[in-house]
Amino acid sequence: MEQTDRYIRFDWAIKRLLRQKANFSVLEGFLTVLLGEEVKIIEILESEGNQQTADDKFNRVDIKAKNDKDEIIIIEVQNTRELYYLERILYGVAKAITEHISLGERYYEVKKIYSISILYFDIGKGNDYLYHGQNHFVGVHTNDCLEVTTKEKDALVHKLPAEVFPEYFLIRVNEFNKVAVTPLEEWVEYLKTGCIRPDTKAPGLKEAREKLVYYNMSKAERQAYDEHLSAIMIQNDVLDGAKLEGRMEGLAEGLEKGLEKGRIEVARNMKKLGVPMEVIIQSTGLSEKDIEIL
């Protein structure tokens, strides 16, 4: 592979490069493709959730941005399984809402939030690589969607719940096993493999080919990036080892229980047939006390 064909992983780019205004076009392209409408990033917002610190976890990268519609977009990359992940993204959205409305402001000022999770672990069963969730109020008997009407300054303002409530996107990267045809598929292919085809027309990926080249980083940056990849590989190996060990322990425990159950059943049958106690003990390994209570 030629040097210029190696690109930086998206999680590292978010952490180090896509926060820079000069590189907003990469992030804008990704969001435009995902949300199905043109997105312009105005600024990257800082909060407790996405500040970079010395003990920053390598399996979690958050970026919080504001678009030109004054909406908030949260992007999170998760490399390893987390037990209460759905609860965490719900908490993150709730925190983002409260961070951007001041005490005494009207509820009208509540920001629309988009939560986008790029997941490199199996979060559950499903056949798709992209899932979208949103609040809808549907008539229990009529099956129609509720449209809320409010009156403000003598003008009727119609709002759908979709214009107010958060939207959630879960991208299951490892479940993508297609030949990339659409811009969205090209983006997910890049998220999974780090590869970008030379003739790509997908918004943001052409810019990524120019801005996210591995060999354009300084020596120190490349070293930090390589250590990041190694840390991910080590943690995945540890988790895989723990899973295998757990399965082996479970099999051993199940086998032991099965053997115990079998010995008890054999002893019970031998006792019914009048086999001497000494023979039953020798045959099953059970104690005389255990055999007597059968």
Side-chain angles (χ1 to χ4, degrees), residues 43-257:
E43 61 178 320
I44 301 299
L45 304 167
E46 292 297 337
S47 68
E48 294 178 7
N50 68 343
Q51 287 177 345
Q52 298 180 49
T53 61
D55 59 352
D56 195 12
K57 294 181 181 179
F58 63 79
N59 70 320
R60 176 184 170 190
V61 179
D62 292 332
I63 193 168
K64 187 166 72 168
K66 184 171 74 172
N67 65 14
D68 58 352
K69 295 181 179 179
D70 208 26
E71 299 168 330
I72 306 300
I73 299 170
I74 301 171
I75 303 176
E76 182 170 337
V77 179
Q78 184 78 8
N79 285 309
T80 55
R81 178 181 298 279
E82 184 168 319
L83 186 58
Y84 299 109
Y85 187 75
L86 292 181
E87 289 84 348
R88 198 183 84 202
I89 62 174
L90 175 62
Y91 176 80
V93 167
K95 189 171 182 62
I97 292 173
T98 56
E99 281 180 344
H100 294 279
I101 184 169
S102 302
L103 187 65
E105 286 187 334
R106 298 174 303 166
Y107 290 120
Y108 183 81
E109 303 297 330
V110 168
K111 307 295 184 187
K112 171 71 180 283
I113 308 289
Y114 295 90
S115 173
I116 300 165
S117 297
I118 301 171
L119 308 176
Y120 289 87
F121 66 92
D122 187 6
I123 196 171
K125 294 182 179 179
N127 298 321
D128 208 334
Y129 64 88
L130 174 63
Y131 286 85
H132 176 224
Q134 192 175 18
N135 290 74
H136 297 280
F137 295 96
V138 180
V140 174
H141 304 100
T142 59
N143 204 39
D144 66 317
C145 291
L146 177 67
E147 180 178 347
V148 180
T149 302
T150 61
K151 190 173 183 180
E152 182 176 317
K153 295 181 179 178
D154 298 322
L156 289 178
V157 180
H158 296 274
K159 277 191 177 181
L160 293 170
E163 299 175 75
V164 178
F165 286 95
E167 294 188 41
Y168 301 87
F169 293 86
L170 301 180
I171 304 175
R172 303 165 71 217
V173 176
N174 293 336
E175 299 304 310
F176 180 76
N177 294 302
K178 304 173 62 176
V179 176
V181 176
T182 68
L184 177 59
E185 290 170 348
E186 286 192 50
W187 259 103
V188 180
E189 182 180 59
Y190 162 59
L191 295 177
K192 182 175 182 178
T193 67
C195 297
I196 307 174
R197 57 183 63 181
D199 60 344
T200 183
K201 298 294 192 296
L205 284 183
K206 181 179 178 181
E207 292 80 2
R209 278 180 56 84
E210 300 170 358
K211 300 175 182 293
L212 304 186
V213 178
Y214 171 80
Y215 293 98
N216 284 350
M217 292 193 293
S218 67
K219 183 177 180 180
E221 289 172 333
R222 288 201 302 270
Q223 182 177 354
Y225 177 71
D226 291 339
E227 290 174 355
H228 169 73
L229 297 184
S230 296
I232 292 175
M233 293 176 63
I234 290 170
Q235 187 180 34
N236 285 334
D237 285 344
V238 169
L239 291 175
D240 289 341
K243 290 177 186 176
L244 178 60
E245 184 177 341
R247 285 196 295 268
M248 295 301 293
E249 289 178 356
L251 287 172
E253 183 179 346
L255 179 60
E256 181 62 31
K257 287 182 179 179

Side-chain angles (χ1 to χ4, degrees), residues 7 12 15 41 91 120 122 143 192 208 268 275 286 290:
Y7 300 100
W12 184 263
K15 192 173 185 178
I41 299 299
Y91 176 80
Y120 289 87
D122 187 6
N143 204 39
K192 182 175 182 178
R268 181 180 290 113
V275 176
L286 298 176
D290 290 335

